[in-house]
Amino acid sequence: MRRNRRSDARRNRERILRAAAVELTRRADVPLSAIAKKAGVGQGTFYRHFPHREALVLEVYRYEMRQVAEAAHELLENGPPERALREWMDRLAAFAMTKAGLADAIRLVTSAPGGPAKPGPTPVMDAAGSLLAACEAAGAVRPGVSPDDLFLAIAGLWQIDPHEDWEPRAGRLLDLVMDGLRAGAPGR
């Protein structure tokens, strides 16, 4: 019986996180009661998992970052490293553009005096490191490129207006970055 309760609790938590990711992306100040309703859970269940807005917003951010990071490992398992890196950058761009509202929600909860600090992008940086190491080992990118270097190179993504037709522009930017990563690669 206890195991069933734990699995129910995990499923409820996942439903809350999925609903919150959608709703917070649409509107940074969405009422928590609306998220609970979308998730199909009662207020008590909701607040047992997330006692306040800050806890929910930061956990949604971590959850979404894990999804982006896990995509890197999946892509590496299913194709050559160079293609995996480029496809992962496309997924990162889609995340950045479609989650602009979530970024607003994070700013709201972390900018309050005494509020929590914004969590770092560690899983995503680790994923970028794995992709770059695989590409370097395959001779597909220049040696010595760090995850920090990659994120500096793609920083222009965050300057694109997510409400416009962002995909062609992001694609061109990421193609330029890939061209730069390939320049000087031993396998070229």
Side-chain angles (χ1 to χ4, degrees):
M1 183 70 152
R2 188 176 184 157
R3 182 172 288 157
N4 286 342
R5 269 191 245 161
R6 276 188 256 157
S7 63
D8 285 348
R10 275 193 303 276
R11 282 192 300 272
N12 285 340
R13 182 178 173 79
E14 286 291 315
R15 285 199 326 256
I16 293 167
L17 287 171
R18 283 193 303 271
V22 169
E23 296 305 313
L24 287 167
T25 296
R26 289 184 184 148
R27 189 172 142 212
D29 63 347
V30 64
L32 297 181
S33 59
I35 294 170
K37 186 175 181 179
K38 291 278 185 179
V41 300
Q43 293 291 320
T45 298
F46 182 91
Y47 284 104
R48 260 192 307 281
H49 289 284
F50 301 102
H52 45 78
R53 176 176 290 279
E54 293 83 2
L56 174 66
V57 169
L58 294 177
E59 187 55 30
V60 166
Y61 175 81
R62 287 184 201 99
Y63 176 80
E64 292 289 313
M65 289 290 97
R66 282 192 303 272
Q67 302 304 311
V68 172
E70 288 170 8
H73 303 294
E74 177 187 308
L75 290 166
L76 276 172
E77 288 174 4
N78 295 314
E82 185 176 354
R83 187 176 78 211
L85 175 60
R86 183 60 180 84
E87 287 180 23
W88 183 77
M89 288 193 302
D90 284 336
R91 290 185 187 194
L92 183 64
F95 170 79
M97 296 299 110
T98 61
K99 300 299 179 184
L102 180 58
D104 292 340
I106 292 166
R107 274 191 290 281
L108 282 174
V109 302
T110 59
S111 64
K118 180 181 175 188
T122 302
V124 173
M125 293 296 271
D126 293 345
S130 296
L131 286 160
L132 288 167
C135 286
E136 186 175 333
V141 300
R142 68 177 55 222
V145 178
S146 72
D148 285 334
D149 296 336
L150 176 66
F151 277 89
L152 283 172
I154 64 173
L157 281 175
W158 287 270
Q159 302 305 312
I160 298 172
D161 185 344
H163 301 101
E164 294 178 3
D165 186 21
W166 58 267
E167 288 177 277
R169 193 164 195 197
R172 287 190 305 274
L173 173 69
L174 296 176
D175 286 343
L176 286 169
V177 170
M178 283 302 297
D179 290 345
L181 291 170
R182 288 183 195 111
R188 298 275 166 206

